[in-house]
Amino acid sequence: MLPLLTAQQIREADAYTIAHEPISSVDLMERASKAFVSWFVNHFPDKHEAISVYCGTGNNGGDGLAIARLLFEHDYRRINVKIARYSTRSTADFDINLQRLQAMQIPLIELSESETSPQENADILIDALLGSGLNKPLDGSFKALVDHLNSLSKCVVAVDVPTGFYTDGVVELEGGALKSNLVITFQQPKINFLLPESGAYVDCWEAVNIGLDTKFIRSLQSPYQMVEDKDIQSILKPRTRFSHKGTFGHALIIAGQAKTMGAALLSSSACVYAGAGLTTACVPEAGLTALNSYQAEVMAIVRNEYQLPDLELEKLKAIAIGPGLGTGDDALALLQHVITDYQKPLVIDADGLNLLAGNTILLNQLPAKSIITPHMKEFDRLFGNHTSWWQRLQTMRQKASELDIYIVLKNSYTITGTPEGQLYFNSSSNAAMAVGGMGDVLTGIITALLAQGYSPLEACLAGVYLHGRAGDELALPDKLNVVLPGQVAARVPATIAKLMQK
């Protein structure tokens, strides 16, 4: 897992590295700037493009001065530096890098507080105005300068953090931030880069290693972690030669109505493809033909709205309930029956979540270690309205602990909250997967992993990652704009195989 740090923890990691490597702070700044430049020159190879480097007078500005000097040494000759002298204060490392820059033939101007709309003819702007230490919305001259630069529609590359953007905590939108086409950030992504509010300010980011002490970073025991390839490889279990269908469990998907059978088909199909030994779908009789036509490998239990079906709960290794189920009295009675009589973790999605939102007693009766998979609106219906994603993170930690459940909050970097208060951000998936029915596929994958004996945490982390990775393998090579949920489900076996061969 890659630990994700708050701004305060990043400062602690810097200080620890400086003290224990040991390395001077200005040399650590030089190392970070070299890492930035190494990535920059590989992706902006045209050395004839004009580049303006905007610097504040703190350490982020010191990074910018070092970056300008290093780019000049790489034969980027059309560089100029603009220093926002909106304060009389400057850091020692900024001053050292300013002296180094002044020894070179790089044009440099200093902007006074009244100069917030400088003429700009460069193609690329490097943003090194304010770094991760910002703790209040932009105002005054910095806000005016950022508003001006945003109006120019230039290509902006931010150093570590876009000016005005918070690395953690509630993103204050009042002061705005410098909109960045790319952020080259140091050591690891900032937590708020992984939340939807960042979309207005960060098109994409790239983390570059600057050699901070990794043992110390792990010792900080951040509750925020990012899941990587190697984490899933360590979870996945090989199939041995004498395995059989009973080895991999019997999963039940309770889903679908006559008009919403698509959800049942997608979730049960994904359960088959993700490796459940047996998959049964509990569907209305009106959906039986569709089920048999779509996925012959799925067995069926027919239900009607007037009586509970005989589910033989004791024979099942995993149950998912909710996709396309509806929210009528029959659906509620079925959910109550499963929650009361099934003593193993459940997977609850879609209409199952909507039923829980209207019945808090049931929510509090969920079997220990159950898994719920809400999107943002379902999450807020369950736990109250939120004004920011940071608030949702804190609610996830609280509710997962209180209810002793796993919460899989779906978004671009789907987040799994655990009863122990950990939050795991997924690193796979892409925008081509933004299609109705994709969540139903995720439900089926997680259920299949539970049926095969994976722990609830393993099922969440691996299920979310495999789902996104399958979508990446389908969409990214050919730059597809859309991939369909059924395609993602069918891709999962190949995705698992690729990961296990590494």
Side-chain angles (χ1 to χ4, degrees):
M1 301 290 173
L2 178 66
L4 303 172
L5 305 183
T6 64
Q8 175 59 35
Q9 289 173 323
I10 292 167
R11 288 190 287 273
E12 291 173 16
D14 283 346
Y16 185 91
T17 302
I18 289 167
H20 291 83
E21 186 171 334
I23 185 173
S24 69
S25 59
V26 74
D27 286 342
L28 181 59
M29 181 177 287
E30 186 78 0
R31 191 158 76 193
S33 300
K34 285 180 178 178
F36 179 102
V37 168
S38 178
W39 204 94
F40 185 94
V41 299
N42 284 324
H43 292 80
F44 296 91
D46 185 355
K47 297 183 179 182
H48 300 291
E49 283 191 304
I51 301 172
S52 285
V53 184
Y54 281 80
C55 300
T57 56
N59 281 350
N60 193 242
D63 291 328
L65 297 175
I67 287 164
R69 171 172 46 81
L70 293 167
L71 286 173
F72 190 81
E73 291 173 355
H74 278 78
D75 295 323
Y76 288 79
R77 297 301 183 187
R78 296 184 65 197
I79 289 182
N80 73 91
V81 174
K82 296 181 174 71
I83 297 175
R85 283 280 186 187
Y86 298 158
S87 168
T88 58
R89 298 187 301 273
S90 61
T91 64
D93 291 344
F94 171 89
D95 293 337
I96 291 171
N97 272 298
L98 181 57
Q99 292 172 6
R100 292 174 178 175
L101 188 77
Q102 288 170 333
M104 308 183 75
Q105 295 178 333
I106 298 175
L108 183 153
I109 65 171
E110 296 195 358
L111 307 175
S112 67
E113 281 197 81
S114 61
E115 295 175 286
T116 58
S117 302
Q119 184 177 354
E120 187 52 75
N121 299 315
D123 306 305
I124 297 171
L125 310 183
I126 294 179
D127 168 24
L129 287 167
L130 298 172
S132 61
L134 188 71
N135 57 14
K136 64 179 182 178
L138 289 177
D139 59 10
S141 298
F142 275 112
K143 176 170 171 46
L145 177 59
V146 164
D147 289 344
H148 168 67
L149 297 180
N150 280 336
S151 74
L152 301 179
S153 299
K154 301 285 188 176
C155 176
V156 176
V157 182
V159 180
D160 198 29
V161 182
T163 292
F165 189 78
Y166 293 9
T167 61
D168 55 272
V170 175
V171 175
E172 296 284 356
L173 302 178
E174 178 185 343
L178 186 50
K179 297 175 183 177
S180 303
N181 301 89
L182 169 67
V183 181
I184 302 177
T185 194
F186 298 144
Q187 197 69 27
Q188 65 247 329
K190 308 306 184 271
I191 298 168
N192 276 345
F193 290 179
L194 310 180
L195 300 180
E197 285 105 338
S198 71
Y201 303 107
V202 179
D203 286 348
C204 63
W205 55 266
E206 182 71 26
V208 294
N209 192 328
I210 65 169
L212 297 184
D213 191 291
T214 54
K215 287 185 178 179
F216 178 76
I217 287 174
R218 294 189 185 281
S219 77
L220 294 173
Q221 297 184 326
S222 171
Y224 310 102
Q225 303 281 325
M226 194 165 194
V227 179
E228 302 175 290
D229 269 14
K230 61 184 179 181
D231 302 313
I232 305 308
Q233 290 164 0
S234 70
I235 288 174
L236 294 175
K237 304 172 184 177
R239 295 193 166 205
T240 58
R241 184 169 186 84
F242 294 102
S243 303
H244 54 85
K245 62 188 178 184
T247 306
F248 303 112
H250 189 170
L252 175 66
I253 308 289
I254 304 172
Q257 289 183 306
K259 294 182 179 180
T260 53
M261 274 300 297
L265 301 179
L266 290 169
S267 55
S268 58
S269 175
C271 192
V272 171
Y273 280 118
L278 294 166
T279 299
T280 296
C282 179
V283 297
E285 187 172 4
L288 197 55
T289 299
L291 180 66
N292 289 335
S293 301
Y294 187 81
Q295 195 78 56
E297 293 84 356
V298 178
M299 301 179 291
I301 294 174
V302 175
R303 70 174 195 271
N304 64 59
E305 60 182 306
Y306 302 110
Q307 65 184 56
L308 290 173
D310 183 6
L311 299 178
E312 297 185 288
L313 298 177
E314 69 281 356
K315 296 182 179 180
L316 300 168
K317 292 295 294 290
I319 297 176
I321 182 167
L325 187 66
T327 56
D329 291 343
D330 57 327
L332 178 58
L334 189 50
L335 179 62
Q336 288 174 320
H337 169 55
V338 171
I339 289 174
T340 302
D341 292 357
Y342 191 66
Q343 301 304 312
K344 301 173 188 175
L346 294 167
V347 181
I348 303 179
D349 186 27
D351 283 333
L353 299 175
N354 293 328
L355 288 167
L356 289 179
N359 296 269
T360 55
I361 293 176
L362 275 184
L363 178 62
N364 286 287
Q365 292 175 348
L366 289 177
K369 307 301 186 290
S370 287
I371 299 166
I372 64 172
T373 60
H375 55 59
M376 182 188 77
K377 291 183 178 179
E378 290 166 341
F379 184 90
D380 283 6
R381 283 196 286 271
L382 283 165
F383 303 122
N385 290 329
H386 296 75
T387 58
S388 74
W389 274 83
W390 186 262
Q391 289 180 348
R392 290 188 184 92
L393 297 188
Q394 309 320 308
T395 298
M396 279 184 72
R397 296 186 68 199
Q398 176 188 348
K399 293 299 182 181
S401 177
E402 285 179 5
L403 299 170
D404 195 19
I405 61 172
Y406 293 86
I407 301 174
V408 177
L409 179 53
K410 295 178 283 196
N411 69 72
S412 183
Y413 297 94
T414 291
I415 310 154
T416 297
T418 76
E420 295 74 31
Q422 294 291 105
L423 297 181
Y424 295 95
F425 290 77
N426 184 53
S427 59
S428 62
S429 84
N430 61 86
M433 299 174 68
V435 179
M438 204 62 80
D440 302 318
V441 169
L442 176 60
T443 295
I445 296 171
I446 292 173
T447 306
L449 294 172
L450 273 184
Q452 292 169 75
Y454 290 88
S455 71
L457 177 60
E458 291 171 335
C460 290
L461 299 184
V464 171
Y465 185 87
L466 292 171
H467 179 252
R469 178 68 177 263
D472 289 343
E473 291 173 0
L474 289 166
L476 299 185
D478 297 320
K479 298 182 179 179
L480 297 181
N481 198 46
V482 175
V483 294
L484 299 182
Q487 294 174 302
V488 171
R491 179 69 191 184
V492 167
T495 299
I496 293 173
K498 277 190 174 184
L499 283 168
M500 296 188 74
Q501 288 168 6
K502 287 190 175 182

